[in-house]
Structure formats: structure tokens, C-alpha cells
Amino acid sequence: MYNNVYKIYSRKGETQLLKQSIIKRGNEISHYLIKIRRDLHRTPELAMEEFVTKKKIKKYLDEIGIDYIEFEHHRGIMAYIYKKNAKTTIGIRGDIDALPIQEIKESEYKSQNDGIMHACGHDAHTTMLIGACKLLYEIKDELNVNIKFFFEPAEEEGGGAKFFIQDGLMENPKVEYMFGAHVQGYLEVGTIESKYGTLNASADSIWIDVKGKRGHGAYPQNGIDALVAAAQIITSLQSIVSRNLAPHEMGVLTLGKIQGGDAGNVICDEVKIDGTLRTLDKKQKEFMIQRATEIIENTAAAYRCKAKLIVEKDGYNPLKNDRELIDIVKNNAEEFLGKGSFIFKENPSMGGEDFSFFVENCKGAFFHVGCGNKEKRITSLIHTEDFDIDERCLSIGAIMHVLNVLSFN
């Protein structure tokens, strides 16, 4: 009995020493990580077109010496460290694609690809994951767990996490725990943010098709005006959030695109509307879809039109964090960065996050890494043309990934 207790405490002590050495080593490679991030930032690529990005990731992984798998049908890569007698497998995810945004901030690492930019920080996420690969590979002989490093393509469009799941990479060995991170400009560098339970809303694209009958604008009685019906549908749909959800419930229904009509003197026969639906749980999502369908079909009928709602089949589900894993992230953040460095996010984000596909297959924790710096005027939010990061966040993110893994060692 006493020998077993000694082994437990001995193992905990060894893990703490290992964590301390990782923090020191992670800080030592900060310039290495900055160089990688700037290299990636110069050559951003859109979803499913990450050819150069993939080539660069492979180069860095080859330099580390770590094993990895690549794929023909997408640009993702999975690096891995497998231990013969490991009983637990941990996954870490970093996304690699960029956005169709023109970068306006001048720097030595400004995007060289016109109209494309790492405006969401995926270059930072990729760098953090490469850093985690390097740090964990350097201590591979000390590890008692398997680790899978997912370099995910197409997060911004299509949800590249699904590719890894469809490829069976969450199995053999089965990933039991999963960690992911996202930089945020509203958080000061040196802080970590997350919350228990739902962190991100579901995200579903929706399309509305309204059909009427074409006619001459001078003789409206001979046509059926799809534009008038569409206008009433758009107005009526706003009542779902304001009048059908309880005041404490969060939901978003945004219609951002409308197309219809051929000429100012022709009765419009068809209107197409594109939008997005965001909810925090499956039941609420089903209710809002049902209510939207009723409003769309009945409002169209009142104006002698026909209309239908189409909802994306494979939209992002809500991202729900595991409480115990968030406690691990919190404890590691405060041991590493100091008390008060972990911030509990008050409300879920209505933005979608395809990390949700991973946590449907295992326990997971997703957290935000502060990359802002008010003194340096690095305060722009993600998805903006002047977004940038305080590059100290790179080593922080890499170290956090490794500390989370070592919590299971």
C-alpha cells in the first residue's frame, strides 16, 4: 500500500519537474516560433487550397523528426507520438487555412497573396502546434501517453475536422481527450480564457427560396410578386428571437444576402435569401427551424407565393467543454502564468467553431489565448484587415498544449 502511494506521489513530482522544464524550454524557443509564424503568415491560403502551407508544415515536422500522416483528399496532416504501453491518447488541434481578406497593416511578414490573409490567427495556431510537437518530441522518452497532433485544413469553410473523423483518425488508438486553442485580440497576452459547458454556438447556413410569377410592372394584377413576399418574410422572421425565445435564451437569425428581380418594371418571380442560424443547444435549434419554416411558408402563402427553407445538413454543432478538462486548463494556466491569468468567459460566443466535431467523439476543452497588447496598439479583433498578434502568445500557446498533455502523463 505504502509503495503504491509513494509511486503516485513520485510520479506527480516527476510530472511537476517535467512541466517546469517545459516552461523553460518553451520560452527558449520563442524566436524559433516567431520565425515559423511569420513564414506562414506571408503565404496564406484559402480552405482546401493549403498546398504551400502543407509543404511548410511538413518541412518543420521533418526537421523535428516526428512521424506524420498526410492525405490525398485534403491538405490536413496528423503528426503523432505513440508509446508502446500508453493507456491514454490525447489529441491537440491547430487549424491552417486563411480568409479572403486584404491585409492593410504593413510589416516585414505581410501577406504576399493578394486578397488573402491570416486574419483569424490560424498561422499562430499552426505555429503553436508545431511548437507542441517539438517540445513533446524532445521529451518523448518521458511520456506515458499517446499524442495526435491534428493540423486541420478548411476550418473556415466546410469544417475540416470532419475529414479527420471520417478518416478514422480519432480511433486506433482512440482519442479520449482533446484540446484546442484560438487566439483572441480582445484578451491581453498572458491571459487564458474559457468556460464550462457551451463555449460556442451551433452554426448553420440557411437558404430561403421564394417563388411567384413574372409579370409586367404596369400590370401587377397579372403577376405574383416574390419581392413583396420576401420583404414580409424577412421582417417577420425577426420576431423569432424577440418574441419566441425567452429573454434569457440566446439565438441569432441573420439574413445577409438577397437576390431577385431582373428589371425595375418587371414583377419579380423568384427571390433567394441566404443567412445563418446560431443556437446554443439542439432543442433550441430544432425549435427555431420549425418556427422559421412556419413563418416562411405561411407568409409566402398570404402573398400567393410559395417558399421553402433549406438548412445546411452538416453545420457546426454547439461546442461544449468538459468541466474536468477546463479545470486542467485553468490550473495549468495559473501555475504557468500566475493567479488571475485564467478568465472565465461569462457568456457563450455565437460564433461557430468546428472543434465541436471532435468533442462529439471524446471529452474536449477549447480555450482562448490572449494575443492583444494595448501598449503596442495590437487590439484588432479576428476577421479584420489589420488583425495582428503579440507574438509572445506563440510560446504561451505551445507551452499550454504541452502542460495539458502532461497532466495525463
Side-chain angles (χ1 to χ4, degrees), residues 105 185 188 371-374 376-380 388-390:
K105 184 175 179 179
E188 282 286 297
C371 69
N373 188 320
K374 292 179 181 177
K376 294 182 179 180
R377 298 183 180 179
I378 302 175
T379 57
S380 295
D388 202 355
I389 64 171
D390 183 323

Side-chain angles (χ1 to χ4, degrees), residues 24-39:
K24 180 181 178 181
R25 180 63 177 143
N27 288 323
E28 288 174 351
I29 66 169
S30 61
H31 291 295
Y32 164 82
L33 297 178
I34 289 171
K35 181 180 177 181
I36 292 174
R37 182 259 171 169
R38 293 184 178 185
D39 182 31

Side-chain angles (χ1 to χ4, degrees), residues 11 28 69 106 170 200 223 238 254 327 338 341 347 396:
R11 199 160 55 242
E28 288 174 351
I69 302 170
E106 294 297 331
M170 296 294 284
N200 288 80
Q238 306 309 307
T254 295
D327 283 338
S341 60
N347 295 311
I396 290 173

Side-chain angles (χ1 to χ4, degrees), residues 210-399:
V210 185
K211 291 188 176 181
K213 179 183 177 184
R214 190 185 304 271
H216 195 295
Y219 312 104
Q221 71 277 11
N222 296 327
I224 300 175
D225 199 332
L227 267 178
V228 172
Q232 295 299 323
I233 287 171
I234 291 171
T235 301
S236 298
L237 285 173
Q238 306 309 307
S239 68
I240 296 178
V241 173
S242 65
R243 288 295 177 267
N244 297 144
L245 297 184
H248 65 274
E249 293 180 317
M250 296 175 66
V252 173
L253 176 58
T254 295
L255 304 174
K257 182 179 179 181
I258 181 169
Q259 292 177 301
D262 298 315
N265 63 346
V266 177
I267 300 296
C268 175
D269 66 333
E270 185 173 12
V271 175
K272 294 183 180 294
I273 306 167
D274 297 1
T276 184
L277 175 66
R278 309 293 174 107
T279 58
L280 296 180
D281 61 58
K282 186 176 180 181
K283 185 177 180 181
Q284 184 187 57
K285 173 180 170 179
E286 290 173 349
F287 169 76
M288 290 186 71
I289 290 173
Q290 177 189 345
R291 191 73 191 97
T293 301
E294 294 169 352
I295 289 173
I296 290 165
E297 293 179 355
N298 292 329
T299 303
Y303 290 87
R304 298 190 300 144
C305 289
K306 292 184 179 180
K308 64 179 179 179
L309 171 67
I310 302 167
V311 182
E312 182 180 14
K313 289 183 179 180
D314 298 316
Y316 299 0
N317 288 325
L319 193 170
K320 296 188 176 182
N321 281 326
D322 179 81
R323 188 182 187 92
E324 292 181 2
L325 295 194
I326 290 298
D327 283 338
I328 287 174
V329 174
K330 176 180 180 295
N331 292 337
N332 285 327
E334 293 190 335
E335 286 180 16
F336 167 31
L337 299 167
K339 292 291 183 182
S341 60
F342 185 90
I343 301 168
F344 274 106
K345 187 173 176 62
E346 185 175 355
N347 295 311
S349 167
M350 299 311 289
E353 172 50 66
D354 86 335
F355 190 79
S356 61
F357 292 117
F358 288 117
V359 299
E360 288 173 358
N361 292 269
C362 66
K363 292 182 178 181
F366 197 77
F367 57 96
H368 299 151
V369 178
C371 69
N373 188 320
K374 292 179 181 177
E375 290 185 4
K376 294 182 179 180
R377 298 183 180 179
I378 302 175
T379 57
S380 295
L381 303 181
I382 57 174
H383 289 226
T384 57
E385 64 273 15
D386 60 347
F387 176 75
D388 202 355
I389 64 171
D390 183 323
E391 292 174 313
R392 289 179 294 171
C393 73
L394 300 172
S395 57
I396 290 173
I399 291 168

Side-chain angles (χ1 to χ4, degrees), residues 14 20 26 35 40 50 83 108 115 125 137 158 165 170 176 210 255 264 267-268 284 311 319 388 409:
E14 290 173 3
Q20 290 171 17
K35 181 180 177 181
L40 294 169
E50 309 97 335
K83 302 294 291 187
E108 63 172 283
H125 305 162
Y137 190 75
I165 295 164
M170 296 294 284
E176 297 174 75
V210 185
L255 304 174
I267 300 296
C268 175
Q284 184 187 57
V311 182
L319 193 170
D388 202 355
N409 200 42

Side-chain angles (χ1 to χ4, degrees), residues 77-79 90-94 125 128-129 132-133 136 147-152 175 177-181 355 358 367 397-398 400-402 404-405:
I77 298 172
M78 189 194 80
I90 316 295
I92 316 173
R93 179 271 226 161
H125 305 162
M128 291 171 184
L129 195 54
C133 286
L136 285 163
I147 311 156
K148 296 182 180 181
F149 306 85
F150 295 96
F151 292 88
E152 180 198 323
V175 176
Y177 308 102
M178 190 86 181
F179 293 93
F355 190 79
F358 288 117
F367 57 96
M400 281 298 301
H401 282 322
V402 177
N404 292 334
V405 168

